[in-house]
Amino acid sequence: MKMKFLTAGALVAAFAIPAFAQTEEVVEVVEEAPAKSGSSLTSDFKSNWFISAGAGPQVFFGDHDRQRKFGQRISPALDIAVGKWITPVVGMRLMYSGLYAKGATQNGIFSTGHPIDGKPWHGYWLEDSKFDFMDLHVDVLFDLCNWIGGYNPKRVYSIAFYAGAGYGHTWSTPHQDAIAANVGLFHMFHLGSAWDINVDMRLSGFHDGFDGANGDATFDGLVSLTAGISYRFAPRGWKVKKEIVTIYDNDAVNRLREQVSNLVAANEKLEKEAKAGKNVSHKTVEYVGGDYLIYFPINVSELSLADRAQLEQCATAIKNGPKGAKYLIMGYADKSTGTPEVNEILSRARAESVRACLVNEFGISADRFDVRWKGGVDNMFYDDPALSRVVILSPVK
């Protein structure tokens, strides 16, 4: 019977090692707290979508446009976009830009039929031109304020640099198609969690001939300045990724492994003595009931169900151990948090919780326990205060 008990005790100790020697902490921060690095915050697919619209002036730069006064080349611009901020630093948008552009033509393409006075050129007269067009482009946005200064939900102003590419098309005939490239600065004035006022400064480029006139230029250009509003759809906000941190107390692991090793050695000795016909000494069961460690969360003295399951195994070992053996229950708190008075009370309450569980729930006589407490102590294991929030139950030698 004793040999069977020792084998069971060894198995209990072996399976108990992970439970006694590790704790887990879950860390999660949601939205309204500034973070040093905006790139460390993320959102799901449904969050942080926005739409924007704006209008303003734009000026087209083609081969002959310098022959016109600058003010005569200004035309209205329209921007409509839908996008998503992937992180507080990086976003993407799909934007329609366009309406119409004004310039000068020599070959009559997109001509309004109105000649430009005083601008003959090698026998040709220049005429005013006007053409409807669109630029459908995808841009990648980089919020410079969140990148440099960290995400702050209370920030009123942000500026984003962006670059993108798209498809340019003239609605006027003859139709022209071109690959477009865009760079710009997107200014955001935050009115609240949902609304922004925007100012978009953009430079766009198309291949030469987009305005119907080919010349010595490598590309045609467009400069636009629009102002408008943006609306961010709910859900809005950011999360820090959840982290599971497992903390191992290697000293506790090593002590429990040593106990298992001693139990196995004692069991082998008993088996040899039994085979030799010798009397089996009751002394060997003293290996049962080595140090048991119960860890507590900060400022907590109540036992969890996992703690009670562990103490149930401890109670079984005590009941099957030497009759009348005494045990020390020592409570601790970590010195780095709380006042000395609070830690004194907390360490005592933890020790009393362990004794009450063993006595009231598992029927161990109260006179077998010596309950003491240390109050707040310096870090006991691995310079980690969390490992000092503990009750240690050990046999009195």
Side-chain angles (χ1 to χ4, degrees):
M1 181 68 179
K2 292 172 184 174
M3 288 188 291
K4 290 182 179 179
F5 168 71
L6 284 171
T7 303
L11 290 173
V12 168
F15 283 112
I17 285 175
F20 297 169
Q22 72 180 44
T23 59
E24 287 190 350
E25 298 179 358
V26 178
V27 180
E28 183 172 10
V29 179
V30 181
E31 220 252 320
E32 297 296 338
K36 288 185 177 180
S37 173
S39 60
S40 67
L41 303 173
T42 60
S43 65
D44 56 29
F45 178 78
K46 297 184 294 183
S47 301
N48 301 307
W49 286 87
F50 66 89
I51 58 171
S52 65
Q58 62 185 356
V59 177
F60 196 86
F61 291 84
D63 293 291
H64 306 298
D65 296 330
R66 64 181 178 274
Q67 304 298 330
R68 298 193 66 189
K69 294 181 180 179
F70 182 82
Q72 295 174 334
R73 293 159 52 196
I74 298 175
S75 62
L78 174 66
D79 291 339
I80 300 174
V82 58
K84 172 181 170 59
W85 286 101
I86 302 168
T87 74
V89 174
V90 180
M92 296 188 69
R93 72 180 181 186
L94 174 66
M95 175 174 277
Y96 169 92
S97 303
L99 277 186
Y100 66 87
K102 296 193 295 185
T105 179
Q106 184 184 24
N107 58 17
I109 296 178
F110 302 140
S111 173
T112 64
H114 183 272
I116 300 176
D117 294 336
K119 295 296 181 182
W121 186 73
H122 291 279
Y124 294 93
W125 290 87
L126 296 177
E127 297 177 332
D128 290 334
S129 68
K130 175 184 173 182
F131 58 94
D132 301 329
F133 78 99
M134 75 161 189
D135 178 10
L136 187 65
H137 50 99
V138 176
D139 301 321
V140 180
L141 301 96
F142 301 91
D143 190 309
L144 303 180
C145 293
N146 285 339
W147 179 42
I148 297 172
Y151 168 64
N152 184 347
K154 298 181 180 180
R155 183 176 286 119
V156 176
Y157 168 76
S158 293
I159 180 172
F161 168 80
Y162 66 87
Y167 165 67
H169 175 75
T170 61
W171 302 111
S172 302
T173 55
H175 299 305
Q176 304 286 339
D177 297 293
I179 296 175
N182 310 279
V183 294
L185 293 173
F186 190 58
H187 304 263
M188 296 164 281
F189 300 88
H190 306 300
L191 302 180
S193 62
W195 291 96
D196 292 347
I197 294 177
N198 306 318
V199 176
D200 196 334
M201 304 165 60
R202 181 170 59 254
L203 172 64
S204 304
F206 310 87
H207 70 69
D208 185 30
F210 186 67
D211 62 349
N214 292 296
D216 296 331
T218 305
F219 61 87
D220 293 337
L222 181 74
V223 174
S224 61
L225 174 64
T226 61
I229 58 173
S230 290
Y231 177 77
R232 290 191 296 277
F233 295 97
R236 314 174 190 98
W238 308 98
K239 290 182 179 180
V240 174
K241 294 180 181 179
K242 182 179 289 186
E243 298 180 9
I244 304 295
V245 180
T246 303
I247 304 171
Y248 291 92
D249 180 0
N250 289 335
D251 287 347
V253 172
N254 292 334
R255 286 197 299 271
L256 290 168
R257 284 174 176 167
E258 183 178 0
Q259 292 175 35
V260 172
S261 178
N262 291 337
L263 286 169
V264 172
N267 192 58
E268 291 176 350
K269 181 179 178 181
L270 284 173
E271 289 180 352
K272 290 179 181 179
E273 291 178 350
K275 289 179 181 179
K278 296 181 180 180
N279 293 327
V280 177
S281 172
H282 187 72
K283 185 72 174 176
T284 56
V285 298
E286 290 184 359
Y287 290 111
V288 176
D291 291 353
Y292 286 83
L293 289 82
I294 305 292
Y295 289 103
F296 291 81
I298 188 170
N299 205 31
V300 172
S301 60
E302 293 80 10
L303 294 169
S304 67
L305 292 178
D307 298 332
R308 285 179 162 80
Q310 180 177 332
L311 289 173
E312 184 177 7
Q313 300 298 328
C314 175
T316 300
I318 292 174
K319 289 176 181 179
N320 290 280
K323 295 187 182 300
K326 302 291 185 178
Y327 296 86
L328 174 63
I329 300 176
M330 183 67 76
Y332 300 88
D334 72 279
K335 189 177 181 180
S336 62
T337 58
T339 65
E341 294 78 11
V342 169
N343 287 331
E344 185 79 11
I345 296 171
L346 187 59
S347 63
R348 177 177 181 176
R350 288 169 174 169
E352 294 286 3
S353 293
V354 171
R355 178 174 64 175
C357 179
L358 291 169
V359 172
N360 299 331
E361 297 187 29
F362 302 119
I364 308 297
S365 176
D367 61 8
R368 300 187 67 178
F369 301 112
D370 181 11
V371 178
R372 302 181 187 180
W373 51 93
K374 290 281 190 178
V377 297
D378 291 324
N379 296 342
M380 299 169 63
F381 309 108
Y382 289 95
D383 198 28
D384 188 343
L387 301 180
S388 298
R389 305 165 194 148
V390 67
V391 169
I392 300 178
L393 186 147
S394 55
V396 176
K397 304 287 184 171

